Amino acid sequence: MRIVDGKNRASLHELQEMAMNTFGDMVKAVVDVKLAVMVIDAELHADEEALLIANGSNQNDLWGINLYPEIEGADFIEFDSMINLRPSRGNRSRGVENPEVRDFIQKIVADLVIR
């Protein structure tokens, strides 16, 4: 697992290598929308979530996504993770239902991934 932030960005090439070494076409990631950081390269979003929490993140600020490094455009990010199920916070699916949160996640990822 690797923490990605403004000082330690990830390249698209790195994501491609991670994908080949795990799921073939995707890399799991968890984004902290408050701190604008993410963790990449784990088998489970829950492991990435735990690492961020151990480093000071609040669970309510964390969202699981999948990155597809071979795809450009909107389909580069898939909003799908079990950690996103939060009925008590109004998110009743594995996706990210709030469009503002989705947009913010996209901006964070665009900043942290070097293309």
Side-chain angles (χ1 to χ4, degrees):
M1 283 188 292
R2 176 172 162 214
I3 295 178
V4 180
D5 60 22
K7 295 178 184 175
N8 300 297
R9 290 180 168 85
S11 72
L12 192 57
H13 179 71
E14 288 174 289
L15 292 177
Q16 290 166 338
E17 287 182 355
M18 289 175 191
M20 285 190 295
N21 291 329
T22 54
F23 298 101
D25 63 344
M26 78 142 160
V27 174
K28 291 185 183 238
V30 172
V31 177
D32 182 323
V33 294
K34 185 173 182 182
L35 300 178
V37 301
M38 70 178 174
V39 172
I40 55 175
D41 199 24
E43 289 188 24
L44 299 172
H45 290 114
D47 293 336
E48 295 168 329
E49 177 185 47
L51 179 60
L52 284 170
I53 290 170
N55 281 281
S57 291
N58 182 316
Q59 189 174 27
N60 290 331
D61 299 324
L62 304 181
W63 297 94
I65 61 173
N66 300 311
L67 303 174
Y68 290 85
E70 297 296 330
I71 298 176
E72 293 189 26
D75 292 333
F76 172 68
I77 301 173
E78 176 184 43
F79 299 93
D80 181 30
S81 173
M82 291 298 292
I83 72 164
N84 297 340
L85 282 167
R86 298 184 192 149
S88 64
R89 306 229 356 121
N91 203 80
R92 300 185 179 276
S93 75
R94 292 168 37 136
V96 178
E97 296 175 4
N98 184 320
E100 291 174 6
V101 174
R102 278 195 315 269
D103 289 346
F104 196 52
I105 290 169
Q106 289 173 326
K107 288 176 185 170
I108 291 169
V109 171
D111 180 54
L112 297 180
V113 175
I114 301 166
R115 292 191 166 263

